[in-house]
Amino acid sequence: MDLSFLAGDTISAAKQLLGKYISTETDGIVTGGYITEVEAYLGADDKAAHAYQLKRNKKNEMMYRDYRTIYVYTMHGHHCMNFITKDEHHPEGVLIRAIEPVTGIEVMKVRRGREHNLTDGPGKLTQSLGVTRDVYNGTRLNEDGVSISDGKTPIEIIASKRIGIDNKEEAVDYLYRFTVKGNPYVSKDKVKREDNNGWFE
C-alpha cells in the first residue's frame, strides 16, 4: 500500500494508522490485527519525545531516518514499536500502543503466556507479534517483516493525553494519544464496547 501519508503531518499520520492491519512474519508464523491505539511524538519541540531539542544518541538513532523506518526501544524490559514519519531532519514518529488481535491468536497466547490481554499495551503487542529491538529496530515497514495494509475504518477517534509521561511539563497535556472509540482493545481505559468494536461495517 501507499505509505506516503507517513511523510506528512505526524498527527494526521497517527490518526490514519488507526484501523490499519498490521502483521508480522517470524519463521513463517504470521500474527496480526487492527491498530486501535497510537501516540504521536513530535520530535524537536515535544518534551516527551526521545528527540526533543534534536537530542541524538545510540538509542534513538533510528528516529533520524526517513518515514517507514521502524524504531524499537526498550522500557522496563518491554519493547515498544514506533513508525517514523517525515524525514531524517524531522525526527518524529508514532508509537503503536494497541491492536485488536485477528491473526495467529493462539501463537500470541503462547508468546504472552496467558489467554487474555494479549495486545492492549505497547509491550504486550510487541511480545504477541514477536517484535524485538535486536531484530526489528531500523528495519523498513512493508519490507522487512512488519507490514501494514488497509483494514477497517474507525467511526470515531478519541484524542486524549499520552500515557506514562508525567514529568514532561506542558507536553503532559498534549492530546496526542488517539484511540478508536468503543474498541475494547486499548490500554488503560475502561471502554464501553460499541457495535462492531467501533468500526464501520
Side-chain angles (χ1 to χ4, degrees):
M1 68 173 291
D2 182 6
L3 298 179
S4 61
F5 71 93
L6 293 173
D9 177 72
T10 299
I11 295 292
S12 176
K15 294 177 182 179
Q16 291 182 69
L17 281 167
L18 292 174
K20 294 290 188 291
Y21 178 79
I22 181 172
S23 64
T24 60
E25 182 173 353
T26 304
D27 298 327
I29 299 172
V30 177
T31 48
Y34 301 115
I35 298 174
T36 56
E37 178 184 359
V38 296
E39 288 179 348
Y41 288 88
L42 304 191
D45 299 320
D46 183 351
K47 290 184 178 178
H50 289 177
Y52 175 57
Q53 294 183 329
L54 296 181
K55 176 182 177 182
R56 190 167 185 169
N57 53 39
K58 183 177 180 180
K59 176 182 177 180
N60 74 358
E61 179 62 30
M62 294 308 159
M63 293 198 72
Y64 293 86
R65 298 290 187 273
D66 286 337
Y67 77 97
R68 292 203 302 160
T69 298
I70 297 171
Y71 168 45
V72 183
Y73 66 89
T74 56
M75 178 175 290
H76 308 305
H78 301 289
H79 300 279
C80 298
M81 177 170 57
N82 303 257
F83 297 159
I84 298 306
T85 55
K86 296 202 171 186
D87 56 49
E88 67 268 27
H89 304 296
H90 301 87
E92 302 185 11
V94 178
L95 170 65
I96 311 302
R97 283 198 58 93
I99 67 172
E100 179 180 322
V102 175
T103 306
I105 292 176
E106 293 305 314
V107 174
M108 294 181 185
K109 292 177 180 179
V110 172
R111 288 174 175 169
R112 288 276 295 134
R114 62 183 60 207
E115 293 287 315
H116 306 287
N117 302 113
L118 302 176
T119 57
D120 56 339
K124 296 176 185 180
L125 78 87
T126 54
Q127 188 175 16
S128 286
L129 294 177
V131 172
T132 57
R133 177 177 172 83
D134 59 335
V135 174
Y136 287 101
N137 188 42
T139 59
R140 300 275 290 171
L141 194 58
N142 285 12
E143 292 180 14
D144 300 314
V146 178
S147 299
I148 62 170
S149 58
D150 289 329
K152 293 182 177 291
T153 303
I155 295 174
E156 185 175 345
I157 294 172
I158 297 175
S160 59
K161 296 178 182 180
R162 293 172 293 187
I163 295 171
I165 57 166
D166 297 340
N167 62 342
K168 301 302 181 182
E169 300 178 10
E170 69 272 12
V172 171
D173 295 319
Y174 297 163
L175 303 182
Y176 290 172
R177 174 178 176 248
F178 305 102
T179 56
V180 177
K181 183 181 180 182
N183 192 293
Y185 298 99
V186 297
S187 61
K188 304 294 184 181
D189 299 343
K190 292 183 178 179
V191 173
K192 181 180 179 182
R193 185 194 295 259
E194 299 200 357
D195 290 344
N196 205 34
N197 288 343
W199 307 115
F200 280 108
E201 294 288 351

